[in-house]
Amino acid sequence: MAAVPTPPPGPQRPGRGRARVAEPGTEALPVVGRPPASGPGRPVPPLPRVLPTVPDDHDRDHDADADGPPVTALPDALGAEATGRPPAETPSGAPRVSRAGRDLGAAVGVGAGLGAVVIASLFLYRPSFLVVVALAVVISVTELVRALDNGGYRPPLPPVLVGGVLMLGLAWVRGPSGLVVAFLVTVLAVLLWRLGDGPVGYLRDTSAAVLVALYVPLLAGFAVLLLVPDDGAARVLLFIATVVCSDVGGYAAGVLFGKHPMARRISPKKSWEGFAGSVTACVLIGVLAITLAFHGPWWGGVVFGVAMAATATVGDLAESLIKRDLGIKDMGTLLPGHGGLMDRMDSLLPSAVVAYLLLSALVPA
């Protein structure tokens, strides 16, 4: 019997051709413009793979907390082990960035300038330190309110600014009771001011404003309380120097020895080794200052140093948590190599409270 000739293939309609079988080890790519096959007897095409989200480091933490690379730069950041090619080189003319993600030249220069202003205000005319603190509070409150505003909160700025300056002034002339009274007046002013914008978001906005008033000017008021005694300039200088030593000691130890993360979800590169460096540096300066300058017990310097290192680290992590929640990296861009002024106040603010309480107990005025 003669073979029946096979008819020539006719033109194929879109979507009716033979399915192409993917080779082993490859993925089937979806065809643009073709709806996914469905129904009985038709295979369901595989879903396209999605890269996992790589969290950025939204903060510049002190112990080698390097800036996290953006997702688009991930292959270069992973290096030759992951990509088979070396990382991209830094463009010529760009500022040299340290292993911890900072422009060290700018950071050191700005830090030295701020330290000179503080020291001059303390020893040339002591009440001028109030002006320095007031300017820092006004700038920091503005940065924090703007960051919250970008995150969907609407805290009223004017009552917090006026109330913050009032807190510092009453802390200087009336002590702790004046500071507390001014804070309560600020809260009341916030509640009344926000009434003009209606009920929508009232609780959200007033809560954010009260947080700002408590976080910045109220805590900064304890630095003013440190200044009130006759040896107040020395107390303030010890408080600031200990926080700086916590920063420097944690930075150095974290860069050199950091391996064990302290709070991976908040600050992935802040390490326990860096914290140990902070404690060591703070204890050293605490013992020297308490025994030599204030004639207190040596163990008081140890307690002071450990407490200040812990408080400075907690303050740093707290601000990092706020920035991660808001999805920002820095509170501002005022200080090159540091970010915003609020990014430098994070460790100082809670440490001022601990310094005031401990020095009042260890070396009474």
Side-chain angles (χ1 to χ4, degrees):
M1 178 181 292
V4 179
T6 304
Q12 296 182 353
R13 291 187 237 170
R16 307 289 292 180
R18 181 180 301 174
R20 182 175 298 178
V21 180
E23 298 178 0
T26 63
E27 291 183 325
L29 298 176
V31 179
V32 178
R34 179 185 300 176
S38 60
R42 295 186 180 181
V44 178
L47 295 175
R49 291 190 303 174
V50 179
L51 280 174
T53 303
V54 179
D56 294 349
D57 288 338
H58 290 293
D59 53 326
R60 283 190 179 90
D61 290 328
H62 302 318
D63 52 2
D65 195 6
D67 298 339
V71 176
T72 54
L74 183 60
D76 286 336
L78 289 177
E81 293 82 4
T83 62
R85 54 187 174 87
E89 297 182 357
T90 303
S92 59
R96 293 184 61 85
V97 178
S98 72
R99 181 180 166 189
R102 291 192 196 181
D103 181 356
L104 280 183
V108 172
V110 170
L114 293 175
V117 171
V118 170
I119 293 174
S121 67
L122 286 173
F123 292 100
L124 294 180
Y125 182 60
R126 197 168 48 146
S128 64
F129 180 70
L130 292 175
V131 179
V132 175
V133 177
L135 289 175
V137 165
V138 168
I139 296 173
S140 299
V141 165
T142 304
E143 290 178 346
L144 183 54
V145 167
R146 288 177 177 175
L148 291 170
D149 187 77
N150 293 332
Y153 302 88
R154 300 293 182 270
L157 180 60
V160 180
L161 288 179
V162 175
V165 175
L166 180 64
M167 289 184 218
L168 302 179
L170 288 183
W172 173 251
V173 298
R174 295 295 182 181
S177 60
L179 177 61
V180 173
V181 169
F183 172 71
L184 297 178
V185 171
T186 302
V187 172
L188 179 61
V190 165
L191 297 177
L192 296 177
W193 186 285
R194 180 55 182 78
L195 288 174
D197 292 333
V200 178
Y202 180 83
L203 181 60
R204 174 200 62 197
D205 298 341
T206 54
S207 300
V210 171
L211 172 64
V212 174
L214 186 152
Y215 186 26
V216 184
L218 179 64
L219 298 186
F222 284 87
V224 176
L225 295 178
L226 282 169
L227 188 66
V228 172
D230 294 336
D231 59 350
R235 292 171 183 256
V236 172
L237 190 60
L238 172 60
F239 145 63
I240 295 177
T242 309
V243 175
V244 171
C245 286
S246 174
D247 187 347
V248 174
Y251 176 86
V255 168
L256 296 176
F257 311 110
K259 292 182 180 178
H260 300 87
M262 176 183 291
R264 188 183 299 273
R265 296 184 62 184
I266 302 174
S267 180
K269 295 179 183 177
K270 182 172 288 297
S271 62
W272 285 106
E273 291 81 2
F275 178 68
S278 296
V279 171
T280 302
C282 290
V283 167
L284 180 61
I285 190 174
V287 170
L288 292 176
I290 295 295
T291 56
L292 299 179
F294 295 96
H295 307 290
W298 66 268
W299 56 264
V302 175
V303 172
F304 183 81
V306 172
M308 291 292 286
T311 310
T313 303
V314 170
D316 189 20
L317 290 174
E319 200 218 15
S320 298
L321 189 62
I322 293 174
K323 290 189 291 187
R324 284 190 175 274
D325 187 27
L326 297 175
I328 60 176
K329 189 172 189 61
D330 293 315
M331 288 291 182
T333 58
L334 180 64
L335 305 178
H338 292 271
L341 184 60
M342 187 63 201
D343 294 296
R344 294 303 93 207
M345 295 280 284
D346 54 359
S347 300
L348 291 167
L349 290 171
S351 299
V353 182
V354 174
Y356 171 76
L357 296 176
L358 288 180
L359 289 179
S360 298
L362 296 172
V363 285

